[in-house]
């Protein structure tokens, strides 16, 4: 029985994000190109006698029941009648309330961790089915890599890894509510050219066409978030002026990423961003890259997938 686990919970960006329609139940149907990035929270899970304890190292991330990681542990522990307890310590690196699925990925890692720690034997698919009850992005955060995400985010089609490039990821010091951004999107006012070319993006990824990817970067939610937070436009401008082949807001924002072929240019642009406007434009700017788990990778830092078991191997 595993006593202690240390997991990496990776964040994501959207290379493309389109909203197709609003359903009668209020949810928005989306078409998104999801990409895991090499920027992660560290999660330490330890057995204890009883209960669930969740702590995070930032004052504005909720401890206890308000944390999505708590709800992830509770979901599996209740279903499997686990009476032992678990403590979960979260070290945040992924910007919070920023369009990078930080809460969802912590929850995904905890599902994987509880499965492993208590030997529940659930497959990746079974964990993903449970994850969607916690949030539409949780199944993707279990899957990771590059994927087309449809429906409310739960219908996933895996794509190959795009050609490597260096990313600069920066969050201006403003927080954005995902719910509010979707609420303010006026679908009827959108012109055809406002919708990003999601199918073209998926094809460019399939054929390994980096220029085709950068030329198709598009996020319909920029229309809502960018006018409200002009820092986003200024970060994109700085990235593009300093060598980025493309720059885009991720998710509902306000995080922005730039794609660079040249790592040194990316490092320079990142340093410039940190100094820009007397340090006020962003306090969170990172050089990063795509993260695509390969064969034999460790799922959420736990164990390699079983050989021959494919996607249905117990994780
Ligand atoms: P998404 O891209 O999925 O919309 P996001 O990146 O915009 O998510 P999160 O970082 O998940 O947003 O944070 C949204 C809110 O969720 C935070 O304001 C915080 O109060 C709450 N929250 C709950 N659990 C966590 C967690 N483990 N990490 C970060 N935020 C959490």
């Amino acid at each position: 029985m595993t006593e202690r686990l240390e997991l990496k919970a990776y964040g994501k960006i959207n290379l493309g994000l389109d909203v197709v329609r609003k359903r009668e139940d209020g949810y928005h149907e989306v078409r998104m190109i999801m990409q895991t990035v090499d920027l992660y929270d560290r999660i330490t899970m330890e057995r204890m006698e009883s209960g669930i304890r969740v702590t995070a190292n930032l004052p504005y991330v909720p401890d206890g029941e308000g944390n999505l990681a708590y709800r992830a542990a509770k979901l599996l522990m209740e279903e499997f009648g686990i009476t032992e307890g678990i403590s979960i310590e979260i070290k945040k690196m992924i910007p919070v309330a920023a369009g990078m699925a930080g809460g969802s990925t912590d929850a995904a890692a905890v599902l994987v961790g509880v499965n492993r720690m208590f030997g529940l034997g659930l497959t990746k698919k079974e964990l993903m089915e449970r994850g969607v009850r916690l949030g539409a992005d949780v199944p993707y955060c279990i899957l990771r890599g590059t994927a087309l995400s449809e429906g409310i985010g739960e219908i996933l089609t895996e794509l190959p890894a795009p050609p490597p490039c260096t990313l600069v990821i920066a969050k201006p010091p403003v927080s954005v509510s995902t719910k509010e951004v979707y609420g303010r999107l006026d679908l009827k006012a959108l012109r055809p050219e406002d919708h990003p070319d999601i199918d073209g993006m998926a094809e460019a990824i399939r054929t390994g066409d980096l220029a085709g990817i950068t030329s198709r970067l598009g996020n319909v939610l920029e229309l809502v978030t960018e006018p409200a937070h002009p820092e986003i436009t200024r970060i994109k401008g700085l990235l593009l002026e300093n060598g980025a082949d493309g720059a885009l807001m991720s998710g509902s924002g306000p995080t922005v990423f730039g794609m660079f072929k040249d790592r040194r240019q990316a490092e320079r642009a990142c340093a410039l961003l940190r100094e820009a406007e007397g340090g006020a434009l962003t306090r969170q700017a990172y050089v990063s890259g795509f993260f695509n788990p390969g064969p034999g990778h460790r799922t959420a830092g736990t164990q390699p997938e079983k050989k021959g078991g494919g996607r249905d191997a117990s994780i």
Side-chain angles (χ1 to χ4, degrees), residues 253-265:
T255 299
V256 173
F257 64 90
M259 292 173 60
F260 294 77
K261 280 196 276 296
D262 184 272
R263 184 170 180 97
R264 291 184 62 175
Q265 256 186 335

Side-chain angles (χ1 to χ4, degrees), residues 11-241:
K12 63 87 181 159
I13 55 173
N14 298 99
L15 299 175
L17 193 160
D18 195 15
V19 180
V20 182
R21 69 179 187 107
K22 191 175 175 182
R23 300 197 318 200
E24 261 145 41
D25 61 10
Y27 282 99
H28 287 85
E29 254 177 47
V30 291
R31 298 192 79 222
M32 309 189 282
I33 304 288
M34 317 287 281
Q35 176 61 54
T36 307
V37 293
D38 194 10
L39 183 63
Y40 49 83
D41 295 342
R42 285 189 181 276
I43 306 217
T44 307
M45 298 172 64
E46 261 178 295
R47 281 170 185 262
M48 55 181 200
E49 231 164 71
S50 64
I52 303 169
R53 183 172 65 215
V54 177
T55 52
N57 65 332
L58 293 176
Y60 47 89
V61 173
D63 287 336
E65 290 182 35
N67 198 298
L68 210 53
Y70 183 102
R71 291 178 46 211
K74 188 166 174 227
L75 187 149
L76 284 188
M77 289 169 83
E78 276 186 1
E79 180 181 343
F80 287 87
I82 297 166
T83 50
E84 260 181 281
I86 191 162
S87 90
I88 300 165
E89 200 186 298
I90 304 174
K91 270 207 189 105
K92 294 290 307 177
M93 269 302 286
I94 302 169
V96 176
M100 293 193 69
S104 302
T105 197
D106 293 350
V110 167
L111 290 176
V112 171
V114 170
N115 186 43
R116 167 95 177 108
M117 192 167 239
F118 296 100
L120 306 183
L122 293 172
T123 64
K124 188 185 270 192
K125 189 164 166 272
E126 287 165 339
L127 285 178
M128 287 164 70
E129 281 161 11
R130 284 158 179 80
V132 74
R133 291 185 228 151
L134 301 168
D137 282 347
V138 177
Y140 166 72
C141 292
I142 294 170
L143 182 68
R144 307 192 301 187
T146 313
L148 167 68
S149 161
E150 295 172 290
I152 59 163
E154 84 294 12
I155 305 169
L156 296 166
T157 308
E158 284 183 86
L159 294 169
C165 74
T166 305
L167 298 171
V168 173
I169 299 175
K171 177 192 174 270
V174 296
S175 289
V176 158
S177 151
T178 303
K179 206 174 155 210
E180 214 180 293
V181 171
Y182 275 95
R184 282 174 42 210
L185 180 71
D186 183 358
L187 279 173
K188 289 195 193 77
L190 295 183
R191 301 160 301 173
E193 62 268 30
D194 291 329
H195 292 280
D197 177 12
I198 299 293
D199 291 324
M201 174 66 84
E203 193 49 31
I205 291 170
R206 284 193 182 102
T207 55
D209 171 13
L210 192 57
I213 295 170
T214 47
S215 68
R216 288 182 178 85
L217 292 173
N219 179 349
V220 80
L221 298 179
E222 280 187 341
L223 292 170
V224 177
T225 313
E226 209 174 329
H229 300 291
E231 300 90 337
I232 293 169
T233 317
R234 300 209 294 279
I235 293 177
K236 286 202 302 191
L238 192 148
L239 289 168
L240 292 168
E241 280 158 26

